[in-house]
Amino acid sequence: YCVEFRTESLSQHCALETRPYARWMQYLREGHTVCVACQPPAMSAATRRCSGDGHNAHGDKILHWEAVGNSQCQGTWKKIRQLEYCSCPLVHSFIFT
């Protein structure tokens, strides 16, 4: 499944990332919608959910995130909706880890 979030805030360290495999962090923007896929092995076998997916978060609950590979690239987002069938665009698409 996938979860759509609206990025509320992010640290300036995301825009400063220059390593080739991590340049995607430069494209994060406040107010943009991002789509995050929950796939194995991040999915718990017991619950069939990914940690941090905001399962019980709706409305104005602010959730925190951190980029893998750069712990200084972090921020907050709000859950918009969960999609059982993923149709994430290539841009602004991420995977829970």
Side-chain angles (χ1 to χ4, degrees):
Y1 66 92
C2 292
V3 183
E4 288 182 348
F5 296 95
R6 184 178 65 245
T7 306
E8 296 293 313
S9 68
L10 59 133
S11 65
Q12 64 187 19
H13 297 282
C14 302
L16 302 175
E17 183 59 70
T18 58
R19 292 173 292 176
Y21 67 88
R23 284 196 185 124
W24 61 268
M25 295 177 201
Q26 296 176 0
Y27 300 100
L28 293 169
R29 296 287 184 271
E30 290 180 9
H32 282 195
T33 297
V34 297
C35 186
V36 188
C38 177
Q39 302 173 353
M43 184 183 291
S44 164
T47 64
R48 307 283 298 156
R49 304 203 69 79
C50 283
S51 176
D53 69 357
H55 176 57
N56 293 319
H58 299 288
D60 290 334
K61 182 162 180 151
I62 294 182
L63 305 167
H64 295 270
W65 58 267
E66 180 180 300
V68 172
N70 181 351
S71 62
Q72 292 183 316
C73 177
Q74 55 187 286
T76 59
W77 56 20
K78 291 181 182 178
K79 180 180 176 181
I80 297 172
R81 64 183 173 153
Q82 179 175 318
L83 305 167
E84 292 309 315
Y85 300 99
C86 298
S87 58
C88 295
L90 292 176
V91 180
H92 300 292
S93 296
F94 306 96
I95 298 175
F96 286 105
T97 58

